[in-house]
Every structure is written in C-alpha cells, then in structure tokens.
Amino acid sequence: MNKGLSPSLAYTKLDRVFFPAFNYAGQPEMVTADNPTLFRQERAASGKVVTSTHGGVGDFEELQEEQARNIATVKAGDEQTYSVAEYKKTLKISREFYRDDLWASTQAAVRQSGVRARTTKDKNAFDLFAGGFATHKTNDAAYIWSAAHVAVNGATVSNLLTGVMSAANMETLFRTMWEQVSEDGEAGGDVPMAILVPPILLPDTHEILKSELKSGTAQNELNYFSTKYGTLQIYSSVFVSLARHKNAYANANTSYYLLGSNHSFTRWTREDLYTRLISWEYDDYDRWTYKMGYAETFGCPSWESAVASNGTV
C-alpha cells in the first residue's frame, strides 16, 4: 500500500484477506454452520421468524368407486418465535499504518476477524446440538433431546438415549429413528442421513459405521452399517466437544446425534456476511474503519427425524 491509496483499492485488498479466512477449508468431516445437511438454510424476511408444528394429514383412506373423499385437516400447534440476532465487529486501522505500508500487521488483524466471524457462526449453530439436552427447546417446550416430547396429536415421544457409543448402541440409535412417529402419531418414514459427533468420538464412529467388518468382533462378520448405509454422512465439530462448546455441558464429549431426512434444525439468515470500509477522513483520530457483520438465528422447531444419546450409560 502507498500514500495515495484509494478507499476502493483498500477495501478490495482487505476483503481479499477477510473472506478467504472466513471460508477456511477444514477436513471433510469438519462441518460448519452453512452445511445444508445438518441445517436447513432459509431466509428470514424480518427480524422475527415465526414457526409452528403441524400434525400432518394422517394415513390415506381406501375408497370405493365414486365414494366421496374425506377432507384432510392439518392441525397446527406449538407456535414459537425466534429473534434474529445481529452480529457485528469493527476494526480500527490507523492512517499511518496505511501511509507507511505496514500491511503485515493490518493483514493479521483482518485475517483473524475473518476466522472469528466463522467460528462465532459455528459456535452458535452447534450449541443447538450440545445444548439440546438442557438449554435449547423445541416448540413443544421440551428440550430438543427429551423423553417427554408431545406430538400435535397428543402422543408422547422420546428422542433421547443414554448408551455410550458402541456398535450395539448405534443399532439402538438407528432403530429409534426408524420407529419414531411423526407429529400426527404415524410412523415417520425417516431415513438416517447424517451423524454428528465431537472430535474425540470421530475415530470410533468411523470404525463402527464405515469399517468393512463388524466392529468389536473376531468373526469376520460383515458390517451392517457400511454395507447398507454407505452414503451416511459422518460430521464432527469442535463446538460440540467438551473443550470448545459455547456452554458448560458435562456430557459433550460422550454425546452423539443422528439426523434423518425430515429434521428441522434450521439456520435463518436475515443478512449475509458483509464488510464496509470507511475512510480515515470521517474519523476524529484519523483511522480507517473496517466494519463487518451479519444477521441470523438458529432453531429446531420439532423433534421429528432427530435422535441423540448423551453417552452416559
């Protein structure tokens, strides 16, 4: 940079550092908040997102020729409003840094801002999972992972298990999803699609689900999961681990989460990540101002198509 640097050139140069840091590349299993498998990606039309659960239409009826059709009544309930949060950060850079071409220090600060924009998103997103045992709730006022969910039709449903990760307990986890009913009390027809684990459980998850032979046996038995669920996605995030999650969840390192095709974990974006550079002429201390921010919220309106174990037994 030089003494005659224009604001537009400075803006471009800063963004070329900020956005690559924000869009950092990790390992294939290391998932972020913009993953469309774990979070339904939707737009928020305002600062509030109103959600409700629906009881479905029930089973189809067998009718005779020219027999009148029954009118399906879709029962809605458990309305909940999510507030969109504004996330902002401002970086002040002295005019002298630009004038004297002290780019290395500026570049480091901007790069770190990009990383923190990403980690803040991920920390808030994955707190839904780790915090679903005792903090975050679905629209029925039960915690996301609970043995006392109430469906729209009045049925009591559990999506909470307690077994430590093992081949046998993984079978229970999958079977619980298969047998789970929907809000109308009928079988949900859910297909296990992805599993999320803390990094400490990632090796065991691969051994149980992806190894050619069955885990924990010496009989050379074929692994049911890898032969029948080869497309199941395995994901991990440091933000569901004991060391780095947003709040103090004692069982974070032993918990694991299975999502099906009809889950409702959602990220609502009101405003995408933006940056703005304001020239030093508008600052009383002759500083360039680099503003960053975005607006979004996360939620899980329904327990459907989601099962978790806290791994305590």
Side-chain angles (χ1 to χ4, degrees):
M1 291 185 175
N2 55 49
K3 192 173 182 178
L5 180 70
S6 69
S8 60
L9 179 59
Y11 186 23
T12 301
K13 196 166 185 178
L14 291 175
D15 277 356
R16 285 176 178 171
V17 175
F18 178 84
F19 282 100
F22 173 76
N23 295 312
Y24 63 82
Q27 296 298 318
E29 296 92 350
M30 299 304 171
V31 69
T32 58
D34 53 8
N35 180 282
T37 302
L38 295 187
F39 296 98
R40 299 188 181 279
Q41 306 289 325
E42 299 185 2
R43 305 295 300 187
S46 68
K48 301 288 185 181
V49 177
V50 180
T51 66
S52 62
T53 54
H54 300 86
V57 300
D59 286 343
F60 277 53
E61 297 87 7
E62 180 181 348
L63 299 178
Q64 301 300 316
E65 184 177 354
E66 298 186 359
Q67 183 178 351
R69 293 169 177 255
N70 293 324
I71 304 300
T73 301
V74 179
K75 183 180 180 181
D78 299 329
E79 185 175 290
Q80 181 172 329
T81 300
Y82 295 90
S83 297
V84 173
E86 300 280 347
Y87 297 92
K88 302 177 182 180
K89 185 68 71 174
T90 298
L91 187 62
K92 293 287 188 177
I93 307 169
S94 74
R95 175 177 175 271
E96 287 72 22
F97 268 59
Y98 279 89
R99 181 195 65 192
D100 297 335
D101 200 19
L102 298 177
W103 176 236
S105 298
T106 303
Q107 187 180 45
V110 173
R111 181 183 296 110
Q112 180 65 9
S113 298
V115 171
R116 284 292 161 259
R118 166 58 65 189
T119 57
T120 301
K121 281 176 173 279
D122 293 344
K123 185 181 295 184
N124 290 325
F126 291 101
D127 194 61
L128 276 180
F129 289 90
F133 297 102
T135 300
H136 301 292
K137 297 181 177 182
T138 54
N139 288 17
D140 66 352
Y143 293 120
I144 293 175
W145 315 115
S146 171
H149 284 295
V150 179
V152 172
N153 80 329
T156 300
V157 181
S158 173
N159 68 344
L160 171 63
L161 302 177
T162 58
V164 298
M165 180 175 282
S166 66
N169 287 334
M170 193 69 77
E171 290 178 14
T172 302
L173 188 77
F174 274 63
R175 187 171 63 253
T176 300
M177 176 169 289
W178 296 330
E179 296 176 349
Q180 187 185 75
V181 299
S182 297
E183 292 280 2
D184 60 2
E186 301 294 340
D190 296 307
V191 177
M193 186 170 57
I195 189 167
L196 174 68
V197 299
I200 195 171
L201 292 181
L202 189 56
D204 287 344
T205 305
H206 273 280
E207 290 175 8
I208 293 171
L209 296 179
K210 295 297 185 180
S211 61
E212 183 178 350
L213 301 180
K214 190 173 182 180
S215 174
T217 70
Q219 307 303 320
N220 291 329
E221 302 171 63
L222 289 177
N223 184 359
Y224 170 78
F225 292 109
S226 63
T227 56
K228 300 299 182 183
Y229 288 91
T231 60
L232 181 81
Q233 297 297 309
I234 297 175
Y235 294 119
S236 184
S237 171
V238 68
F239 296 112
V240 295
S241 70
L242 186 61
R244 292 291 179 267
H245 58 69
K246 186 176 180 180
N247 296 292
Y249 305 126
N251 301 318
N253 272 0
T254 59
S255 299
Y256 47 106
Y257 318 87
L258 184 66
L259 295 186
S261 52
N262 297 311
H263 77 80
S264 67
F265 282 84
T266 306
R267 172 192 175 205
W268 291 279
T269 301
R270 178 68 179 124
E271 186 173 17
D272 294 316
L273 181 66
Y274 63 85
T275 60
R276 298 291 184 274
L277 181 65
I278 301 171
S279 186
W280 62 270
E281 290 99 330
Y282 304 100
D283 183 83
D284 290 339
Y285 299 94
D286 292 347
R287 297 171 298 182
W288 294 80
T289 303
Y290 191 57
K291 293 186 175 183
M292 304 148 281
Y294 60 92
E296 65 185 19
T297 190
F298 297 87
C300 182
S302 175
W303 40 265
E304 290 179 298
S305 200
V307 183
S309 175
N310 60 22
T312 59
V313 180

